Amino acid sequence: MSDRLPLPIRLRRLVREAAKFGTVGALGFLVNVVVFNLCAQGAGIGPLRSGVLATSAAICTNYLGNRYWTYRHADKTHRRREAGLFVLFSCAGMVIENGALALSHYGLGFTSPLADNVAKNVVGLGIASLFRFWSYRTWVFRGVRSSAVAAEAEPSSSRSAVGA
């Protein structure tokens, strides 16, 4: 097998990876929104503190989902490095996410619960999710792919011809 897989196979893998990342992200989004609103509306905690608490809870959820499902095939020999990079890039995403909230709430004066949710959970989280997807797949969950994943990516006709 060559070092570079054909483009259709690489695209199929990327779509599958993005779908799994999106599913994990949807669960993280739910955690993020619920914790944010419980803190901000229920407990009366300020919007930025609520945002940081909510994003922190979502980061924990997302790490578990991404490590054990989306990127379960990635190299597992450097867990400490992986966890450190995950936290680093997640915190950068947290700054992006809550920066949009701070700009909207304090800079532009949009202080309603709806405006806070749109700024944080739509605009900020959307931009931060793109950043996280790129950084996780590029830096965090990279490494040697398992032979099962490589075999899965090969077209069945080439497996039978090569294996014969």
Side-chain angles (χ1 to χ4, degrees):
M1 189 167 110
S2 69
D3 290 345
R4 301 284 292 174
L5 294 171
L7 182 61
I9 293 172
R10 291 194 331 247
L11 287 175
R12 201 171 25 246
R13 283 175 130 183
L14 181 63
V15 167
R16 188 178 311 128
E17 181 182 331
K20 287 181 174 184
F21 184 85
T23 302
V24 170
L27 179 60
F29 173 77
L30 182 63
V31 168
N32 205 334
V33 170
V34 168
V35 172
F36 177 72
N37 284 293
L38 283 174
C39 290
Q41 283 24 287
I45 299 171
L48 285 182
R49 187 170 292 148
S50 296
V52 170
L53 291 170
T55 305
S56 297
I59 286 170
C60 294
T61 303
N62 290 347
Y63 179 76
L64 294 173
N66 282 315
R67 162 45 42 221
Y68 295 106
W69 188 47
T70 307
Y71 299 106
R72 70 174 172 246
H73 58 273
D75 183 13
K76 295 175 179 70
T77 59
H78 299 95
R79 288 275 175 96
R80 190 171 289 164
R81 175 194 170 279
E82 173 188 284
L85 287 173
F86 187 88
V87 168
L88 174 73
F89 290 118
S90 294
C91 287
M94 182 187 303
V95 169
I96 294 168
E97 190 177 318
N98 290 293
L101 172 62
L103 176 65
S104 171
H105 191 91
Y106 298 109
L108 301 175
F110 297 123
T111 58
S112 72
L114 177 62
D116 286 348
N117 273 285
V118 168
K120 180 188 183 313
N121 296 315
V122 176
V123 176
L125 190 59
I127 296 167
S129 293
L130 292 172
F131 168 76
R132 288 178 180 128
F133 180 69
W134 170 80
S135 63
Y136 294 168
R137 78 179 316 266
T138 303
W139 299 102
V140 180
F141 296 111
R142 66 184 190 153
V144 180
R145 306 262 186 210
S146 70
S147 58
V149 172
E152 172 189 317
E154 288 183 36
S156 58
S157 61
S158 68
R159 268 198 308 248
S160 58
V162 172

